[in-house]
Amino acid sequence: MTPPPGWYRDPSYPLVERWWDGTAWTDHRRGPEAPQVPSAAPEPVAGGSGRAKAVALVTAGVVLVTSIVTGAFVLGREGGAGGAGGAAAARTSLPAAPGQTTGSGPSSADPSVVVDELNGIALPLFHGWVRAQDVAEDDVMMTTPGTYDCPGDPGVCRRGRVISRTVTTNDERSPKALAEHDIADAANTAYDRDLLDNRPFGGVTSHRQLRASPVAVAGSVGYLVRWQVKTGAGPGGYVESLAFPSSVGSRALVIVRFAFDAGTDGPPLTDMDRITEGIRPVGTR
């Protein structure tokens, strides 16, 4: 049993928080959130690690939560005696899930936004869009409601998707270079071959670049590249790769991909711009 994904004290450097993806530590770090005063002091968990006790001396305001969480990771990853039981006990005292923020900024409980906790951004959820559910592709934040039979290989398709993911596989630091590099893969993923190597739209036959320009997004300067793609079956579609620095941690680059079906049944192309303009760092309006 391991703690769920979230921001926790970095066991290698306890003055910052680090993102735990549910199975391993990632490279994302940020300054610690201001601790909330509990209504009643919880009972300490016995058997905390030496590292957790060191953290307690450094971070007096959050000593109990920090030591419990760090102890859970040490027990879970080293597999010591009684590790499973210790991890289970620690999970009962984990901090509030990310997104349960205080103040006036957007949170995961706000029905008008979709929150990407890892990258610290909130995307506006406009009319005609819903939170992603039962979607096979990773990192899908929102979709158009409902599905339809794909025009190519058998399968179920959606008219529109918006995907948000962190770029950790390369050292690229330029939003322009990243967006230009990502757009071809975005087009192929959306309209060429799916995860099962089928061609739900008969494959991409051609593309035309519609836009490539800097753009202000989430308080930073990003860059977007937008293509119109033609497909072997169906009306084709529009894809966009939007790259910008994350608002948290090491400010690694974030890619937001848009995939909209063309034709009268697809979402309006202006929604790409509206969603981009509405992206905000978590904790701000």
Side-chain angles (χ1 to χ4, degrees):
M1 296 177 64
T2 59
W7 290 104
Y8 302 110
R9 291 286 175 171
D10 186 344
S12 65
Y13 187 64
L15 295 181
V16 300
E17 293 180 340
R18 189 171 178 180
W19 183 262
W20 172 261
D21 66 9
T23 58
W25 293 108
T26 70
D27 292 331
H28 298 278
R29 294 178 175 86
R30 71 177 186 183
E33 295 281 332
Q36 298 184 15
V37 179
S39 57
E43 293 296 327
V45 175
S49 67
R51 182 186 297 276
K53 294 176 181 177
V55 173
L57 295 176
V58 177
T59 57
V62 291
V63 56
L64 184 58
V65 172
T66 301
S67 60
I68 291 173
V69 172
T70 305
F73 285 131
V74 171
L75 289 172
R77 298 182 70 179
E78 293 181 355
R91 289 190 65 178
T92 63
S93 299
L94 287 175
Q100 296 177 350
T101 57
T102 60
S104 59
S107 73
S108 57
D110 187 342
S112 67
V113 299
V114 179
V115 176
D116 177 352
E117 303 287 0
L118 176 58
N119 294 307
I121 57 173
L123 293 81
L125 193 66
F126 293 119
H127 176 73
W129 293 88
V130 296
R131 298 172 188 269
Q133 293 182 342
D134 303 322
V135 179
E137 187 176 0
D138 292 335
D139 305 318
V140 179
M141 302 299 295
M142 66 180 82
T143 69
T144 48
T147 60
Y148 67 98
D149 292 334
C150 300
D153 288 342
V156 173
C157 288
R158 299 175 187 271
R159 303 288 181 188
R161 302 187 305 284
V162 179
I163 300 161
S164 175
R165 58 183 50 151
T166 313
V167 179
T168 58
T169 57
N170 60 51
D171 297 326
E172 184 58 66
R173 304 302 298 173
S174 164
K176 179 177 185 292
L178 181 59
E180 292 174 338
H181 177 78
D182 183 75
I183 188 65
D185 185 60
N188 290 334
T189 300
Y191 289 104
D192 196 77
R193 294 186 182 275
D194 63 15
L195 297 175
L196 300 177
D197 205 34
N198 295 321
R199 289 191 162 184
F201 298 93
V204 174
T205 59
S206 66
H207 76 270
R208 179 169 65 97
Q209 182 166 292
L210 300 180
R211 183 180 174 188
S213 65
V215 61
V217 54
S220 300
V221 177
Y223 198 88
L224 67 83
V225 179
R226 183 180 300 170
W227 284 4
Q228 179 179 9
V229 298
K230 299 293 185 180
T231 55
Y238 301 93
V239 293
E240 179 177 297
S241 291
L242 168 67
F244 58 94
S246 170
S247 62
V248 297
S250 60
R251 293 182 62 82
L253 290 182
V254 179
I255 278 284
V256 174
R257 287 180 175 179
F258 300 83
F260 290 13
D261 282 5
T264 57
D265 292 330
L269 191 57
T270 54
D271 276 5
M272 289 188 182
D273 297 322
R274 296 175 65 214
I275 293 172
T276 298
E277 292 170 358
I279 295 175
R280 297 287 184 270
V282 172
T284 63
R285 284 192 179 276

